[in-house]
């Protein structure tokens, strides 16, 4: 498995693979890979012939007070995990390769509406950073298929809308959230948790599941369910960011008649922000 750092090297390799008729699969990541990322690569291997994983901690999607500098960078370990999984090529560009004129001069891709809700409210500009870098990476790689995790449910919805609205000829494939045995969604940010916080962290998933099962049983007082969930989380030292019961397709508040309901939640344990979701 090769690693390339420049767009030119990437394009040369992709051109060779295309010449021999290979279907190109792309897995965008910010590195510090865990089983969730490896599941994306494995899914990619079943869907195409040549899997490219990018590792790029995208500064454009981090707010001024967020963890850009602290975000774990573990290229060597990531390369080992990817090679073992059967990934074919790693694309690990520098920030200068991606944003040669700096981020202020960078043209941006704005996905309206969806990006203003949930994570978009607490992280203004985050999704514009994501949609912009994903568009740039798509243009660099020009894949047939791109694979994303369902843990970032809202991100997946934003990418699907962007691809549809901009007629990008790319099939978006999603993979269910990988979890630790106690239910905690795998995330690079779990590494920030203290031992005590790590013991509490699966409560987020437990509370989401208990609300999901009440909805399945027919409860429809979403406001009461939301208050109940927030109170349970607060009791366990979580600082609530949002707990929203939404229409899975529009991500707008669910109504009695909503066919497919998703619970989206984000909460802090100390400084660490955890997100999770469940579709009912
Ligand atoms: O989900 C992530 O890791 C990032 O948001 C992505 C899609 C790689 C864009 O930087």
């Amino acid at each position: 498995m090769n690693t390339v750092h420049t767009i030119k090297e990437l394009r040369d390799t992709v051109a060779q693979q295309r010449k021999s008729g290979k279907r190109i699969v792309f897995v965008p990541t910010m590195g510090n890979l865990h089983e969730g990322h490896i599941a994306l690569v494995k899914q990619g291997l079943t869907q195409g012939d040549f899997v490219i994983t990018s590792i790029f901690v995208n500064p454009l999607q981090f707010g001024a007070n967020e963890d850009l500098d602290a975000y774990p960078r573990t290229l060597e370990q990531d390369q080992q995990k990817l090679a073992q999984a059967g990934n074919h090529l790693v694309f690990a560009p520098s920030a200068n390769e991606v944003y040669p004129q700096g981020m202020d001069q960078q043209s941006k891709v704005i996905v309206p509406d969806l990006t203003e809700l949930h994570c978009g409210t607490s992280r203004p500009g985050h999704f514009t950073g994501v949609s912009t870098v994903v568009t740039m990476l798509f243009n660099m790689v020009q894949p047939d298929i791109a694979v994303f995790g369902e843990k970032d449910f809202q991100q997946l919805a934003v990418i699907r809308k962007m691809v549809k609205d901009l007629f990008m000829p790319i099939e978006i494939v999603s993979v269910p959230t990988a979890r630790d045995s106690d239910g905690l969604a795998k995330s690079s940010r779990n590494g920030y948790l203290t031992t005590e916080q790590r013991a509490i962290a699966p409560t987020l998933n437990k509370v989401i599941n208990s609300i999901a099962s009440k909805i399945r049983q027919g409860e429809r007082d979403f406001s009461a369910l939301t208050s109940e969930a927030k109170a349970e989380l607060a009791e366990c030292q979580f600082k609530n960011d949002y707990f929203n019961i939404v229409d899975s397709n529009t991500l707008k508040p669910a109504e009695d008649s909503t066919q497919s309901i998703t619970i989206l939640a984000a909460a802090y344990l100390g400084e660490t922000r955890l997100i999770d979701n469940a579709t009912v």
Side-chain angles (χ1 to χ4, degrees):
M1 185 193 71
N2 270 344
T3 299
V4 294
H5 299 280
T6 65
I7 298 163
K8 178 169 185 335
E9 291 168 299
L10 169 73
R11 286 200 163 142
D12 288 349
T13 310
V14 172
Q16 269 172 17
Q17 296 302 325
R18 280 220 176 280
K19 235 194 232 165
S20 48
K22 301 266 172 70
R23 257 169 89 73
I24 309 292
V25 180
F26 178 44
V27 182
T29 81
M30 297 206 300
N32 194 235
L33 304 181
H34 50 66
E35 281 165 45
H37 297 109
I38 299 306
L40 305 185
V41 171
K42 295 213 163 133
Q43 178 63 37
L45 286 164
T46 69
Q47 309 236 196
D49 310 302
F50 192 77
V51 177
I52 302 172
T53 298
S54 66
I55 296 179
F56 178 60
V57 182
N58 172 35
L60 195 60
Q61 70 188 73
F62 286 78
N65 304 319
E66 294 184 353
D67 56 342
L68 173 64
D69 292 337
Y71 201 87
R73 285 143 171 101
T74 52
L75 182 59
E76 240 173 73
Q77 290 98 304
D78 292 346
Q79 284 166 317
Q80 279 165 18
K81 289 177 191 171
L82 288 170
Q84 218 170 2
N87 182 72
H88 298 103
L89 181 74
V90 178
F91 176 48
S94 65
N96 194 45
E97 181 75 7
V98 178
Y99 300 113
Q101 306 168 77
M103 292 192 293
D104 289 346
Q105 288 306 310
Q106 176 62 45
S107 303
K108 313 261 167 27
V109 177
I110 296 168
V111 178
D113 222 26
L114 266 185
T115 54
E116 280 143 39
L117 313 164
H118 320 301
C119 286
T121 309
S122 30
R123 304 184 69 189
H126 167 69
F127 285 118
T128 295
V130 171
S131 49
T132 299
V133 83
V134 170
T135 299
M136 294 166 79
L137 290 166
F138 280 177
N139 285 336
M140 293 170 194
V141 177
Q142 302 198 343
D144 299 290
I145 297 167
V147 190
F148 291 83
E150 290 171 11
K151 175 176 164 274
D152 296 303
F153 192 91
Q154 189 178 5
Q155 170 173 281
L156 180 61
V158 169
I159 302 291
R160 284 194 194 283
K161 177 169 167 55
M162 178 185 86
V163 164
K164 182 164 172 272
D165 289 356
L166 300 180
F167 302 98
M168 295 179 177
I170 299 170
E171 182 189 342
I172 302 299
V173 169
S174 73
V175 174
T177 304
R179 297 184 181 279
D180 287 343
S181 57
D182 56 10
L184 177 65
K186 291 201 184 273
S187 163
S188 302
R189 291 191 169 98
N190 292 350
Y192 299 153
L193 298 169
T194 63
T195 311
E196 193 200 345
Q197 290 167 342
R198 175 62 191 79
I200 300 167
T203 307
L204 180 60
N205 175 243
K206 289 199 182 92
V207 170
I208 292 174
N209 284 342
S210 104
I211 300 295
S213 99
K214 288 183 180 175
I215 296 172
R216 266 184 216 111
Q217 283 157 26
E219 284 198 31
R220 284 292 178 275
D221 187 344
F222 299 130
S223 159
L225 289 172
T226 301
S227 305
E228 178 186 324
K230 285 181 179 170
E232 276 180 44
L233 289 169
E235 250 174 54
C236 300
Q237 296 176 34
F238 277 96
K239 200 168 90 223
N240 182 62
D241 183 349
Y242 62 79
F243 193 101
N244 296 333
I245 301 173
V246 303
D247 180 313
S248 312
N249 297 311
T250 61
L251 306 195
K252 301 259 165 72
E255 292 169 8
D256 276 10
S257 59
T258 303
Q259 292 295 313
S260 174
I261 291 177
T262 295
I263 300 168
L264 299 174
Y268 288 89
L269 271 179
E271 297 296 302
T272 305
R273 186 170 176 277
L274 301 176
I275 64 169
D276 204 347
N277 67 80
T279 294
V280 178

